[in-house]
Amino acid sequence: MTKKITKITVDDDGGMNDFWEQVDAVGRTKITIQKDGRPTALSIEEAVLQKLAASALSGSIQSIRQFNELQRLAAEHKQREINRSVTTWRAIREAQRKRYVAHRREHGTEPRSFPHPDDIMIDERTGVQIIGPIDEDEYNDMRRTKRVIDVCLWQDALERPIRDDDSPTGGLLLAMLLNECLPRRERLSDADMMRKVMRREVMSKRQVLKEARQAWLDAGHVVKRGATFWSADTIVSLIKMLPDAARICGSDKLDEDAQLQALQNMIRQRVMCADD
């Protein structure tokens, strides 16, 4: 006996009409299901796909074919989106390069135009990534980061002479980590950073104290003259708590004040443990 397959026929002009809008809305409706023994909120679309995947894993030939076909179609759609993005951003990058060349030729400096052409990374398989500032606010954030890096290197110069081992100071460790967060064109090379460290090692303590305090002021902070920085162990502890901090900030069970309190308690507890 042949099963009868019901086909749905609607007026379709290739766009999002009322029917497809409703289909999309129903697919995004949230439901609660039991997953791994606990209630989990999923959209109907996600739940159906999970069910299909489970059926395929159980050995259903039809489900395996359907799942593979969906994967193939999804990959094709994704690649089309990537291709469109690559074409668009190639044109933007070329226009930015011409703008930068013209501005350097006329003014001798780079224009304040975003993004920088060297920050537009294009990959045929994965798409486009912007690794530098995309507006004035992000540009200012980048400049602040560079000032903090300079502060950290001055703190290294201040604290290194009073240490009894050759392990990195907290200032040097944080400077190296923050340097990796900058766009490649703005980073200090290992050689540049080492030259800064060595140049400051031979300066007088009085000069280092003066420069360190001024660097803090340039970064927007008033710090007592000769104040010491976090230790390398404390910096490592702060870095290790980032996943927990992200979970706290993403919790829908805590309001903003409760999240802030939880973060402060965690930092206070772990920093104290690291300092001990």
Side-chain angles (χ1 to χ4, degrees), residues 34-264:
Q34 289 293 321
K35 185 177 181 182
D36 298 329
R38 64 181 63 180
T40 304
L42 295 175
S43 69
I44 290 178
E45 181 181 54
E46 290 171 329
V48 169
L49 289 174
Q50 294 270 7
K51 190 72 172 178
L52 176 61
S55 177
L57 288 172
S58 70
S60 169
I61 298 300
Q62 183 179 4
S63 295
I64 291 173
R65 288 172 179 168
Q66 290 175 335
F67 189 79
N68 287 341
E69 178 65 7
L70 285 174
Q71 291 291 304
R72 183 186 66 80
L73 292 172
E76 288 180 356
H77 281 289
K78 181 178 180 179
Q79 190 58 55
R80 280 196 292 270
E81 287 297 318
I82 289 175
N83 291 344
R84 281 194 288 267
S85 177
V86 165
T87 299
T88 298
W89 279 99
R90 273 203 178 119
I92 293 173
R93 185 170 65 179
E94 184 60 26
Q96 285 293 84
R97 279 178 176 160
K98 291 179 179 178
R99 182 177 291 113
Y100 270 67
V101 168
H103 196 277
R104 290 192 201 102
R105 185 184 302 118
E106 183 175 354
H107 303 284
T109 59
E110 293 190 340
R112 192 74 64 83
S113 178
F114 308 103
H116 192 288
D118 292 346
D119 293 341
I120 303 173
M121 311 303 292
I122 297 176
D123 188 292
E124 296 282 355
R125 295 172 299 173
T126 60
V128 179
Q129 182 183 15
I130 310 301
I131 61 171
I134 61 171
D135 56 28
E136 194 73 25
D137 288 339
E138 289 195 4
Y139 176 80
N140 291 331
D141 287 341
M142 182 188 74
R143 303 304 299 177
R144 278 192 289 271
T145 299
K146 295 187 72 171
R147 287 194 288 272
V148 172
I149 290 172
D150 193 51
V151 164
C152 292
L153 293 177
W154 280 115
Q155 285 296 136
D156 174 72
L158 184 64
E159 297 174 31
R160 184 176 295 276
I162 62 176
R163 292 169 59 85
D164 55 6
D165 61 54
D166 294 329
S167 62
T169 63
L172 180 58
L173 178 60
L174 187 56
M176 294 167 65
L177 293 171
L178 290 176
N179 190 55
E180 291 299 311
C181 297
L182 294 173
R184 291 191 185 98
R185 60 188 172 81
E186 294 284 349
R187 293 176 193 168
L188 290 169
S189 67
D190 291 343
D192 289 336
M193 188 169 290
M194 186 56 61
R195 275 193 288 269
K196 280 180 175 287
V197 169
M198 294 177 66
R199 191 179 304 123
R200 295 174 185 190
E201 278 184 343
V202 298
M203 295 175 66
S204 68
K205 182 177 181 180
R206 179 181 179 184
Q207 185 65 22
V208 171
L209 285 167
K210 177 181 176 181
E211 295 291 349
R213 189 167 187 277
Q214 185 59 51
W216 277 110
L217 290 173
D218 292 342
H221 300 282
V222 178
V223 176
K224 183 180 178 180
R225 180 183 172 93
T228 57
F229 199 57
W230 284 327
S231 68
D233 288 341
T234 299
I235 298 296
V236 172
S237 295
L238 289 170
I239 293 170
K240 287 181 177 179
M241 73 175 67
L242 288 177
D244 291 332
R247 280 192 289 272
I248 291 173
C249 294
S251 173
D252 54 5
K253 297 180 180 179
L254 301 175
D255 60 24
E256 187 173 339
D257 290 338
Q259 289 177 357
L260 180 60
Q261 185 63 47
L263 288 171
Q264 290 174 338

Side-chain angles (χ1 to χ4, degrees), residues 27-40:
R28 287 185 285 106
T29 301
K30 291 291 185 179
I31 60 173
T32 301
I33 66 170
Q34 289 293 321
K35 185 177 181 182
D36 298 329
R38 64 181 63 180
T40 304

Side-chain angles (χ1 to χ4, degrees), residues 8 22 173:
I8 299 176
Q22 292 175 42
L173 178 60

